[in-house]
Amino acid sequence: MVSIVLEYVSLVLQVFAAVIAISLFKRTKFNSSWILISIGFLLMAVSRVLELWPTIYPEMEDQMSIVQRWLAFIISLVLLIGVFYIRKIFQFMRRLDELRRETEKRVLAAVIRTEEQERQRFAKELHDGLGPLLSVIKMLVSGLEGMSSVETNEKIRQNLRQAVDEAIIGVRDISANISPHILNNFGLKDAIEAFIKRMGQTDGFKICFTTNLINERFSYNTEVVMYRVVCELINNTLKHAGASFVVIDLQLDDHQLFFEYTDNGIGFDLDVAERHGGMGLNNMRYRLQSVNGNIEIVSEQGRGMRANAYVRV
C-alpha cells in the first residue's frame, strides 16, 4: 500500500515539475535547450503514468512495457540533447553579466566625468566671478586707508558697498548652481521656472515652459536628474545652437514623468556628437538611466533639435 502511495506521489511531483518547466518558456526566451528539458520532464511524467497503468489494467502490461522502453529511450535522447544545448543559456547569462559590468563602467565613468566638469565650472565661476570682485574690494579698502578727502572716501564707500553686494549675489548664484535650494524646498516645477528666470529672457532669446505639475514631489534623485538634464539642454542651446526660441513641456502621466524639449537652432549631426561625447549627451543618458529613465534626441543640420526624456516614478 505504501509503495502505491509513493508511486502516485512521485507522479504528482513529476507533473508539477513539468508544469513549472513549461511555464518558464517565456523567461528563457523559448530557448531550445530549455524546451527539450521541459519535454523530458513531461515525458517522464507520462512514463510514470504508464508504469501505473498495469495496476488498473493488468492485461496491458506487456504492451505498456514495450512503450515504456521506447519512452525511456526518447527521454534519454531528449535530455542528452537538452543538456548539450543548455550551454547556450550559460553563454546568454555570461553575455548579460558582461553587458551589466560594461554598463556599470560607463555609468561610473559618466559620473566621474560629470563631477569633474562640475568642479571645473565651479572653479571657473569663482575665478571669473568672485575673483575680480574681491580684488576690487581689496583695492577699495586700501583706498580708504589713504589720506583722501571726505568726498572721495564717500565715493569709495559707495563703490565698496556695490562691490560687496555683487559678490553676495555671485555667491548666491554659484550656490544655486551647485545645490539648487528651490529644488530641495519646492520641487522640480519651481526649480525649472527659477532657472529659466535666472537665465533671463532677452529680446533675442525666449523660453516657453509649460507643465501639468502643481505641487507634486518625487524622489530626490529623480528631481535632481530631471533638473540637471533640462539645465544642460538649455545651456547647450545657448552655447552652441544659436537659437532664438525654446519650448519645454513637462508632464506627469500614468506614473511617468517626461518632458519634450525643442529649439529652433542650427541643429547638429547627432552621430558625430555622440561619437565624440559632445554637449554631454552621453552624460544625460547615463544620468537618466540611473533613475530608470532614458532620453531620445533628434536633430539635423539647420533644423533645430528635439529631445524627449522620461523617468518612471
Side-chain angles (χ1 to χ4, degrees), residues 85-96:
Y85 281 107
I86 202 171
R87 58 183 180 178
K88 290 185 178 180
I89 294 179
F90 292 105
Q91 291 173 354
F92 177 72
M93 293 173 62
R94 186 170 62 251
R95 286 197 299 269
L96 283 180

Side-chain angles (χ1 to χ4, degrees), residues 32 46 64 74 104 151 179 182 206 239 263 281 300 304:
S32 57
V46 172
M64 292 299 102
I74 295 173
E104 289 176 351
E151 183 180 353
S179 179
I182 295 179
K206 299 290 183 182
K239 291 179 181 178
D263 69 36
L281 300 182
E300 293 182 23

Side-chain angles (χ1 to χ4, degrees), residues 205-210 230 233-234 237 241 243-249 259-265 296-299 303-309:
F205 184 74
K206 299 290 183 182
I207 300 177
C208 177
F209 175 57
T210 58
V230 170
L233 289 170
I234 294 175
T237 296
S244 61
F245 194 69
V246 168
V247 177
I248 306 172
D249 183 31
F259 71 81
E260 183 178 30
Y261 179 100
T262 57
D263 69 36
N264 63 344
E296 178 185 1
I297 297 176
V298 178
S299 182
R303 295 190 176 183
M305 185 271 287
R306 185 180 77 253
N308 294 297

Side-chain angles (χ1 to χ4, degrees), residues 21 24-38 41 81-98:
L24 294 175
F25 277 1
K26 290 184 178 180
R27 295 188 183 181
T28 57
K29 307 297 182 182
F30 295 95
N31 188 281
S32 57
S33 59
W34 189 259
I35 293 175
L36 289 170
I37 291 175
S38 300
F41 278 122
I81 298 173
V83 170
F84 180 77
Y85 281 107
I86 202 171
R87 58 183 180 178
K88 290 185 178 180
I89 294 179
F90 292 105
Q91 291 173 354
F92 177 72
M93 293 173 62
R94 186 170 62 251
R95 286 197 299 269
L96 283 180
D97 192 48
E98 291 173 355

Side-chain angles (χ1 to χ4, degrees), residues 141-190:
V141 171
S142 299
L144 285 174
E145 296 173 353
M147 300 299 293
S148 303
S149 64
V150 175
E151 183 180 353
T152 302
N153 284 339
E154 182 60 29
K155 288 183 178 180
I156 293 175
R157 290 189 186 93
Q158 290 177 1
N159 292 333
L160 184 59
R161 283 193 291 269
Q162 183 179 354
V164 170
D165 289 340
E166 290 181 6
I168 291 172
I169 293 174
V171 171
R172 188 183 301 124
D173 289 341
I174 293 173
S175 175
N177 287 331
I178 296 173
S179 179
H181 306 296
I182 295 179
L183 181 64
N184 295 332
N185 297 329
F186 301 102
L188 184 61
K189 169 181 171 290
D190 290 343

Side-chain angles (χ1 to χ4, degrees), residues 24-220:
L24 294 175
F25 277 1
K26 290 184 178 180
R27 295 188 183 181
T28 57
K29 307 297 182 182
F30 295 95
N31 188 281
S32 57
S33 59
W34 189 259
I35 293 175
L36 289 170
I37 291 175
S38 300
I39 292 173
F41 278 122
L42 184 62
L43 292 178
M44 288 172 65
V46 172
S47 176
R48 300 303 298 171
V49 172
L50 295 179
E51 287 181 8
L52 294 174
W53 197 264
T55 60
I56 303 174
Y57 301 100
E59 66 276 6
M60 299 184 65
E61 183 175 358
D62 293 338
Q63 295 91 326
M64 292 299 102
S65 177
I66 297 173
V67 173
Q68 278 185 288
R69 292 192 187 97
W70 279 103
L71 195 58
F73 171 75
I74 295 173
I75 291 172
S76 301
L77 183 62
V78 166
L79 290 178
L80 176 63
I81 298 173
V83 170
F84 180 77
Y85 281 107
I86 202 171
R87 58 183 180 178
K88 290 185 178 180
I89 294 179
F90 292 105
Q91 291 173 354
F92 177 72
M93 293 173 62
R94 186 170 62 251
R95 286 197 299 269
L96 283 180
D97 192 48
E98 291 173 355
L99 181 62
R100 179 184 58 79
R101 287 199 299 268
E102 184 65 26
T103 301
E104 289 176 351
K105 289 180 181 178
R106 289 179 180 176
V107 171
L108 180 60
V111 169
I112 294 173
R113 187 165 55 249
T114 301
E115 289 179 349
E116 186 59 30
Q117 290 173 351
E118 290 296 321
R119 291 191 186 99
Q120 292 175 359
R121 184 171 62 85
F122 178 45
K124 187 174 184 297
E125 289 180 353
L126 287 175
H127 181 271
D128 298 343
L130 284 181
L133 285 173
L134 293 175
S135 297
V136 169
I137 292 171
K138 180 180 179 181
M139 182 183 65
L140 292 172
V141 171
S142 299
L144 285 174
E145 296 173 353
M147 300 299 293
S148 303
S149 64
V150 175
E151 183 180 353
T152 302
N153 284 339
E154 182 60 29
K155 288 183 178 180
I156 293 175
R157 290 189 186 93
Q158 290 177 1
N159 292 333
L160 184 59
R161 283 193 291 269
Q162 183 179 354
V164 170
D165 289 340
E166 290 181 6
I168 291 172
I169 293 174
V171 171
R172 188 183 301 124
D173 289 341
I174 293 173
S175 175
N177 287 331
I178 296 173
S179 179
H181 306 296
I182 295 179
L183 181 64
N184 295 332
N185 297 329
F186 301 102
L188 184 61
K189 169 181 171 290
D190 290 343
I192 293 176
E193 288 177 342
F195 180 80
I196 292 173
K197 183 178 180 181
R198 193 163 66 247
M199 296 297 295
Q201 301 279 14
T202 64
D203 292 335
F205 184 74
K206 299 290 183 182
I207 300 177
C208 177
F209 175 57
T210 58
T211 181
N212 67 346
L213 297 183
I214 302 176
N215 296 316
E216 292 86 353
R217 297 303 305 268
F218 310 99
S219 70
Y220 175 78

